[in-house]
Amino acid sequence: MSEKGIFGGEPISKEEAAVMTARYRTMNPGAVLGHRIDASFVRDLLDQEGCFGLRMYHALDASNQPTLVMVGTDENGDDMLDLVMDKMFPCPRLCSKPNVLNG
């Protein structure tokens, strides 16, 4: 593993991503496919002093709809809880144009 991926995450091909997202859609028909968050909020998390990465938790909102809760993580991989993000836009409802990731 590269030094860059020491805390998780690495690039994959568009083809591999397409296979993975298609598998999810097949196993979860009608499910939320993804969530969109503004870059400014991601920067706010990453700009916290001592932030080395991000963690996303699967969650249900007040209407029991899938969402993500996102926090920064420190150099030990521990959650930084001073700034917690949610209220992301789900797809379907607000999706990208059709592509290999959303079918």
Side-chain angles (χ1 to χ4, degrees), residues 2-103:
S2 72
E3 184 69 27
K4 189 173 184 180
I6 188 169
F7 291 109
E10 63 182 66
I12 61 173
S13 70
K14 176 174 55 177
E15 293 78 17
E16 186 176 359
V19 167
M20 293 168 66
T21 57
R23 184 180 309 127
Y24 177 84
R25 290 191 309 276
T26 299
M27 298 296 294
N28 299 281
V32 170
L33 302 179
H35 292 86
R36 185 185 150 270
I37 185 170
D38 288 349
S40 64
F41 295 128
V42 174
R43 285 187 202 100
D44 288 345
L45 286 168
L46 291 171
D47 285 346
Q48 295 177 97
E49 185 174 337
C51 185
F52 280 74
L54 298 174
R55 177 169 288 115
M56 287 145 278
Y57 286 98
H58 298 281
L60 296 175
D61 67 16
S63 300
N64 287 325
Q65 295 302 305
T67 189
L68 295 173
V69 172
M70 186 182 298
V71 297
T73 58
D74 65 18
E75 65 183 309
N76 299 313
D78 293 325
D79 294 341
M80 300 172 69
L81 301 175
D82 290 337
L83 180 60
V84 181
M85 295 292 177
D86 180 31
K87 311 295 186 207
M88 297 174 205
F89 297 129
C91 168
R93 195 175 90 210
L94 298 170
C95 296
S96 172
K97 294 183 279 188
N99 63 59
V100 297
L101 299 182
N102 63 24

